[in-house]
Amino acid sequence: MQEVIFPNSKRINGIRKRVYECAASSFGYSADPSKVTIEYANETDNLHCTVLFKEEPQIRRFRSDIYEFCKAHLITDYDMKLIREIVISNVRELLPLESALYDAQDNSSFNEIRVAPSEASSSHVTAVSLESNPLIALQMLEAKSFGLLTSIELIRCHLISKAECNNNEDYKDLEQNENNWLYMSWPLRQRFYGLDTGVPTFAIRFDKVLGVDQVNSNRTKVSVIMEFQPGDKKTPRELMPALAHQSYDTAANEFTFHFSVIDPVLFEMCLNHKHHTNVSVWNGGSKLNEQNT
């Protein structure tokens, strides 16, 4: 478990948001869901962060991100401790693991952190919640139980980007078409669009039509495949806590999802368009940016 204390840090604009983002991108967890994971302790200006990690590489990534943030903001007096006394197997039994980004006791802070710094002044990110629209569960990636997603907001992600919808006559009607959408958390969105590095860490391709949705008769069930760059075994392991409800093929290194969509033909076209975009980057094409969202 990693603990970090930032003394007198309220003076630093956006530090709490950035610490949340570091924890989320490293797939950290709250050690105690009944407490706020990242908070100003005892009404002081000292920001306390306590995050649990399941693997050593995730700790190293988190520590590196925090170090780079502190260096960029000339923060020299932070205290970072690695707490080794907690045994992970015992924590699984006694304390349900909840994503640090999805802290149930701190939903208001998610509204502050769901938009990355580069998008803080942008209005093109649409956040929605399961509480306001339960149907988004039919086209979302994470399990509903992961990180208490029913209490927070997910990001609506376009398969054919808004820019393409606005600039290409063939796609002009798709920006507000739900067959062109998937829903996912902020960390998965960053990976899907490759916004941190320009290179997406996964792509999703259409598999097959499964038949009419027996619960939502105006929809059709389909299966899709999440795939990764050849040889990438790290990313699937990192995503498994969020995607535990999905079928994972170890040999093929792929997750299988089942969605329920309005128009399976149109959804297949949109999904395969995005799949082609992501795979093209893996094959040496231009890196992605905000214009691809």
Side-chain angles (χ1 to χ4, degrees):
M1 188 164 65
Q2 183 73 64
E3 181 181 57
V4 189
I5 301 174
F6 302 89
N8 303 314
S9 55
K10 277 191 175 180
R11 60 183 174 81
I12 304 168
N13 184 38
I15 184 172
R16 191 159 180 261
K17 176 175 68 174
R18 182 57 187 143
V19 173
Y20 261 103
E21 292 169 348
C22 289
S25 63
S26 301
F27 281 81
Y29 294 83
S30 169
D32 186 347
S34 68
K35 298 180 180 179
V36 178
T37 299
I38 302 171
E39 63 178 342
Y40 289 99
N42 301 321
E43 299 183 355
T44 68
D45 289 346
N46 300 333
L47 182 64
H48 285 231
C49 167
T50 303
V51 186
L52 180 67
F53 296 96
K54 295 172 69 175
E55 296 183 0
E56 182 68 26
Q58 296 169 344
I59 295 177
R60 291 198 297 267
R61 175 176 175 176
F62 176 73
R63 291 171 67 90
S64 176
D65 287 349
I66 291 295
Y67 171 78
E68 292 298 328
F69 172 80
C70 291
K71 184 171 68 172
H73 290 79
L74 303 178
I75 304 172
T76 59
D77 56 350
Y78 68 96
D79 183 15
M80 188 181 300
K81 300 176 182 177
L82 182 61
I83 305 172
R84 300 181 181 275
E85 290 80 3
I86 291 182
V87 179
I88 296 297
S89 60
N90 292 339
V91 172
R92 281 180 180 154
E93 294 172 9
L94 300 176
L95 302 175
L97 299 180
E98 299 294 350
S99 168
L101 183 64
Y102 310 137
D103 196 312
Q105 303 299 318
D106 198 26
N107 293 331
S108 61
S109 69
F110 186 81
N111 293 326
E112 302 169 6
I113 67 169
R114 68 169 184 259
V115 179
S118 62
E119 297 181 345
S121 61
S122 172
S123 61
H124 79 272
V125 175
T126 301
V128 292
S129 70
L130 281 170
E131 290 180 338
S132 64
N133 183 4
L135 288 178
I136 69 175
L138 302 177
Q139 289 176 226
M140 76 180 201
L141 295 188
E142 285 113 325
K144 287 190 291 184
S145 59
F146 176 69
L148 303 174
L149 286 177
T150 55
S151 303
I152 67 161
E153 293 172 313
L154 298 169
I155 308 301
R156 178 190 296 166
C157 298
H158 285 77
L159 301 173
I160 298 178
S161 70
K162 288 187 177 182
E164 290 177 286
C165 292
N166 292 330
N167 298 327
N168 189 319
E169 188 68 19
D170 292 337
Y171 304 142
K172 66 178 183 179
D173 297 325
L174 293 179
E175 180 177 346
Q176 296 300 319
N177 191 309
E178 66 179 276
N179 295 289
N180 188 36
W181 302 338
L182 288 179
Y183 296 94
M184 60 193 80
S185 66
W186 180 260
L188 278 192
R189 175 189 184 270
Q190 298 299 89
R191 288 170 174 252
F192 187 46
Y193 289 128
L195 295 182
D196 292 332
T197 64
V199 179
T201 58
F202 64 88
I204 304 175
R205 70 177 188 271
F206 191 86
D207 181 26
K208 59 187 177 183
V209 173
L210 300 175
V212 175
D213 187 330
Q214 298 300 315
V215 177
N216 303 281
S217 58
N218 63 327
R219 290 176 172 264
T220 300
K221 284 193 171 183
V222 299
S223 67
V224 304
I225 305 294
M226 176 187 284
E227 61 187 27
F228 305 88
Q229 292 191 67
D232 181 6
K233 297 291 185 179
K234 176 184 176 182
T235 301
R237 288 197 302 270
E238 292 179 343
L239 297 185
M240 279 181 183
L243 307 180
H245 62 307
Q246 306 296 350
S247 172
Y248 177 64
D249 185 328
T250 304
N253 197 31
E254 296 175 339
F255 284 98
T256 299
F257 292 76
H258 292 165
F259 293 144
S260 183
V261 300
I262 295 292
D263 185 338
V265 176
L266 183 55
F267 176 77
E268 178 180 2
M269 186 273 288
C270 295
L271 186 65
N272 285 342
H273 179 94
K274 176 59 177 168
H275 177 266
H276 174 76
T277 298
N278 284 16
V279 172
S280 295
V281 178
W282 295 347
N283 293 333
S286 300
K287 291 188 174 182
L288 304 181
N289 55 45
E290 294 293 347
Q291 294 301 313
N292 300 107
T293 65

